[in-house]
Amino acid sequence: MTRRTDWAEYEFAASGAPRGRGTEGGDGSAVDGDAVYDGIADGGGPRDGGGARAGGPRDGGPRGGRGRRRRTFGEAVAEDGDASSSSRAEREEPPADPVERARAICLRLLTGTPRTRKQLADALRKREIPDEAAEEVLSRFEEVGLINDSAFADAWVDSRHHGRGLARRALARELRTKGVDPTLIDAAVSRLDSEQEEETARELVARKLRATRGLDRDKRLRRLAGMLARKGYSEGLALRVVRQALEEEGEDTEFPGDEGF
C-alpha cells in the first residue's frame, strides 16, 4: 500500500520547487492552482524564490540596455517539451519514496510551463515511477488545480489562434498530440466561430499578399491558399479568401472554384 502523503501544506523545500502565493495561513509556502498559470497572464516565465524573474545574467549583474522580449503564453505552452526544464528535473536527485519522487518531478516540470496530465504521466513513466504512485500524484494535482487540461486547451486555442492564426482543425490536431481529452478539445475549439476564423484568414492573406506581387496569378493562388491550408483552413475557405483578396488588387480571378492547391 502506498504511503499516505501530507498534501495539505505543500511544503516544497525537499523538491526544490518555487514557493507559491500562500495558503490560508498566509505563510507563502503553498502553491495553488493558479500559480502554474502565472505565465499565461503576463507572458512571463517562472519566478525565483524572491519574486524576481528567472533567466537573468549569469554573473548576477544588471541587465544590458534593452530588455528581453517577454514570452507569450503560446510560446510558453508550445515549449512544453522544453529540454531545459526537463533536464533540470532529471539532474536533481529525487527522494527515494515513489510518491515523493513523482510529486517532485511534476512540480519541477510545472515550474517551467503548464502541462497536460498525459505529458506529466509520460514523464513519470519515463522515470520509471510505479503506476500506482503516478496515479495518486496526478489525481491529487488535478484536484487542487495544478493540472487542468480544460484550462490548458482554452489558453492554447486563444494563444495559437491569435498569435499564429491557426484554424480550428490545426488547433484540435495540436491538442490531440498533447493528450487532451477529445471532449475538452471540442469545447475549446468551438469557442472560435466561423466568422472569427474567416476574419483571421483574411488578415493572414493581407499580410502575405505583398510578398506575392510580381508572380503570375496561379502561383499567387497556390502560395496564399497553401499557406492557409498549412494553418488548418479548409480548401473552400482558403480559395474564397484568396480570390477576394486578389480581386481587390484588380487581379483576374476567373478560375474554377474547386481548383486544388
Side-chain angles (χ1 to χ4, degrees):
M1 180 174 179
T2 305
R3 184 179 62 81
R4 180 178 179 84
T5 306
D6 182 7
W7 300 94
E9 295 299 328
Y10 276 86
E11 291 293 340
F12 299 146
S15 69
R19 301 173 82 85
R21 291 196 292 267
T23 62
E24 294 179 359
D27 61 0
S29 62
V31 168
D32 59 25
D34 294 333
V36 177
Y37 288 89
D38 281 343
I40 299 177
D42 60 11
R47 299 176 182 273
D48 62 21
R53 292 199 181 280
R58 293 175 182 268
D59 59 2
R63 292 183 179 275
R66 290 184 297 178
R68 295 175 60 190
R69 181 177 69 84
R70 298 197 308 182
R71 293 192 306 169
T72 65
F73 172 75
E75 293 169 329
V77 174
E79 293 169 4
D80 54 11
D82 187 300
S84 61
S85 60
S86 297
S87 61
R88 284 196 301 270
E90 294 178 1
R91 281 200 303 268
E92 296 189 26
E93 186 67 25
D97 180 75
V99 171
E100 292 297 331
R101 287 182 60 209
R103 185 176 68 157
I105 292 168
C106 288
L107 288 172
R108 291 182 194 125
L109 291 176
L110 288 170
T111 298
T113 182
R115 316 254 179 175
T116 65
R117 177 172 177 136
K118 181 180 184 301
Q119 289 174 312
L120 293 173
D122 289 344
L124 295 179
R125 192 174 300 110
K126 180 180 178 182
R127 297 295 302 278
E128 300 183 349
I129 300 295
D131 291 343
E132 183 181 357
E135 179 64 25
E136 178 179 340
V137 171
L138 295 173
S139 296
R140 182 54 180 164
F141 273 37
E142 277 190 323
E143 289 178 14
V144 299
L146 291 174
I147 300 174
N148 189 333
D149 284 2
S150 177
F152 181 99
D154 289 346
W156 184 275
V157 167
D158 288 341
S159 176
R160 299 284 283 178
H161 178 73
H162 295 294
R164 297 287 303 279
L166 298 186
R168 287 173 291 186
R169 184 167 58 183
L171 293 166
R173 183 171 58 246
E174 289 186 340
L175 288 171
R176 282 195 296 270
T177 67
K178 309 297 179 188
V180 179
D181 184 87
T183 302
L184 299 179
I185 294 176
D186 291 342
V189 299
S190 66
R191 296 164 66 236
L192 291 176
D193 57 37
S194 299
E195 291 182 1
Q196 183 177 358
E197 197 173 54
E198 183 168 338
E199 179 61 29
T200 301
R202 295 184 188 282
E203 293 172 358
L204 290 169
V205 170
R207 290 201 296 264
K208 297 290 186 180
L209 200 60
R210 178 176 297 182
T212 67
R213 288 172 185 164
L215 301 176
D216 63 63
R217 185 209 66 182
D218 291 342
K219 186 171 290 187
R220 297 186 80 186
L221 166 68
R222 288 194 300 270
R223 185 165 297 183
L224 293 169
M227 177 269 296
L228 291 179
R230 289 190 296 274
K231 291 182 178 291
Y233 294 89
S234 67
E235 179 177 350
L237 173 62
L239 289 172
R240 183 173 71 253
V241 168
V242 172
R243 178 192 289 128
Q244 291 172 350
L246 294 177
E247 285 177 349
E248 291 174 1
E249 285 197 340
E251 187 80 69
D252 178 16
T253 58
E254 290 300 323
F255 46 79
D258 58 351
E259 181 177 338
F261 52 88

